[in-house]
Amino acid sequence: MTAPKLAAGLSQLSADYDVLLCDVWGVIHNGRERFPAACAALARFRAERGPVVLISNSPRPMGPVIEQLDGLGVPREAWSHIVTSGDATRLLLAQRAPGPAWLIGPERDAPLYEGLGLETADLEHAAFISVTGPYDDENDEPGDYRDRFCRGVERGLELICANPDIVVQRGEKLIYCGGALAQLYESLGGRVTMAGKPYPAIYELSLAKAAEAVGRPLDPRRVLCIGDGLPTDIRGANARGLDVLFVASGIHGAETIGPDGLNVPAVEDLLRQDGLSAAYAIADLVW
């Protein structure tokens, strides 16, 4: 496994790529504030090189994500298109309508289900389970759902997960996401289906948007993925054979950032443990 090269900034790499597929949470914002240097780097690439497709494991469709980015002050010049796990998951849900489905997740994720003709039910009467995240992601833990999940497994219910992330940053805190619940359900013997990163569906949508933007078929060697999550961003890029820039200060920051900055051997160890690779590593995304 080749060790990642330490990148001083995106400008060092930009000439080698025509398209960026960039993660959102942990790379350009932390859920409470944007990262101005990262936003500026993406805007510079888009202006000088080519399209920037934001590829997010948000369980909501693109519209509410755009509203969130606007609210955080992320400039629209920093991205060309947005593709979310919610967008990809809606295709899975539509195939299973009218259900009924037992829905797990906060009320803010309701846009995922709009216009699908999906009926809802409690656990005992549902045909499948749909998870966007914990009901209360500030306080709930996966173990809180164990007993109910055991019953779902007994009934043979499939679980559709709209957000494969295990955790994301919210400010300085890590909070559990839908992927943590899906991981528990699968460990109990349940069937889980996901469309977000690292799974193929979300990459197919993202690459199609990028190809549309450049007006020609893409050369995968000239597509760079940017992300901070090993099991999602890095694994997904590796599965597609795409180069990846690992942003260390995201969810793995405590393990990879020391008093002197980026600890490259620590990054190498993390990647090796998961059988993953990254072409480049950087502490924070900058130009």
Side-chain angles (χ1 to χ4, degrees):
M1 183 181 299
T2 304
K5 298 177 183 177
L6 180 61
L10 187 57
S11 60
Q12 180 184 342
L13 317 175
S14 61
D16 295 329
Y17 299 100
D18 302 323
V19 170
L20 298 183
L21 302 186
C22 186
D23 181 38
V24 179
W25 280 69
V27 175
I28 64 174
H29 73 72
N30 64 8
R32 291 184 177 172
E33 58 187 3
R34 72 185 187 280
F35 303 149
C39 295
L42 295 180
R44 183 82 176 265
F45 182 95
R46 184 181 175 217
E48 298 181 3
R49 297 295 309 159
V52 175
V53 178
L54 299 185
I55 176 171
S56 169
N57 267 354
S58 168
R60 288 170 284 173
M62 176 180 62
V65 173
I66 292 175
E67 293 175 6
Q68 181 189 35
L69 295 179
D70 288 346
L72 291 171
V74 174
R76 294 202 177 190
E77 293 77 15
W79 53 270
S80 310
H81 298 282
I82 298 176
V83 175
T84 74
S85 180
D87 292 325
T89 302
R90 281 176 60 84
L91 300 176
L92 298 177
L93 295 172
Q95 293 167 3
R96 290 158 177 78
W102 176 37
L103 308 184
I104 302 175
E107 291 184 7
R108 67 175 181 272
D109 292 337
L112 175 69
Y113 304 106
E114 291 177 358
L116 294 179
L118 195 63
E119 298 174 2
T120 61
D122 59 21
L123 172 60
E124 294 303 323
H125 299 93
F128 69 94
I129 305 168
S130 178
V131 171
T132 61
Y135 288 120
D136 180 358
D137 55 18
E138 289 285 346
N139 298 293
D140 288 0
E141 297 186 0
D144 299 333
Y145 296 81
R146 178 178 293 272
D147 291 345
R148 286 168 286 181
F149 279 180
C150 285
R151 178 56 183 150
V153 173
E154 289 174 3
R155 293 197 57 225
L157 300 183
E158 178 189 26
L159 184 149
I160 307 296
C161 178
N163 180 355
D165 284 349
I166 306 299
V167 295
V168 293
Q169 280 184 303
R170 179 172 292 160
E172 300 302 318
K173 183 179 180 180
L174 292 179
I175 62 169
Y176 284 110
C177 299
L181 302 187
Q183 189 178 65
L184 172 61
Y185 194 76
E186 194 167 42
S187 74
L188 296 171
R191 293 182 295 126
V192 172
T193 301
M194 293 190 266
K197 296 176 290 184
Y199 301 96
I202 195 168
Y203 287 92
E204 291 167 5
L205 286 173
S206 299
L207 291 169
K209 288 291 186 184
E212 180 182 321
V214 298
R216 65 178 187 277
L218 298 178
D219 180 350
R221 295 170 299 180
R222 297 189 64 81
V223 176
L224 179 66
C225 297
I226 302 174
D228 70 317
L230 266 63
T232 51
D233 304 310
I234 311 305
R235 188 174 299 281
N238 285 181
R240 300 289 305 196
L242 303 173
D243 284 353
V244 61
L245 169 62
F246 172 62
V247 178
S249 63
I251 60 174
H252 300 288
E255 303 157 273
T256 60
I257 305 294
D260 299 322
L262 179 61
N263 184 336
V264 177
V267 172
E268 293 177 17
D269 287 344
L270 272 179
L271 292 167
R272 188 180 303 111
Q273 289 168 19
D274 284 1
L276 301 173
S277 63
Y280 308 98
I282 194 170
D284 297 282
L285 182 60
V286 297
W287 181 251

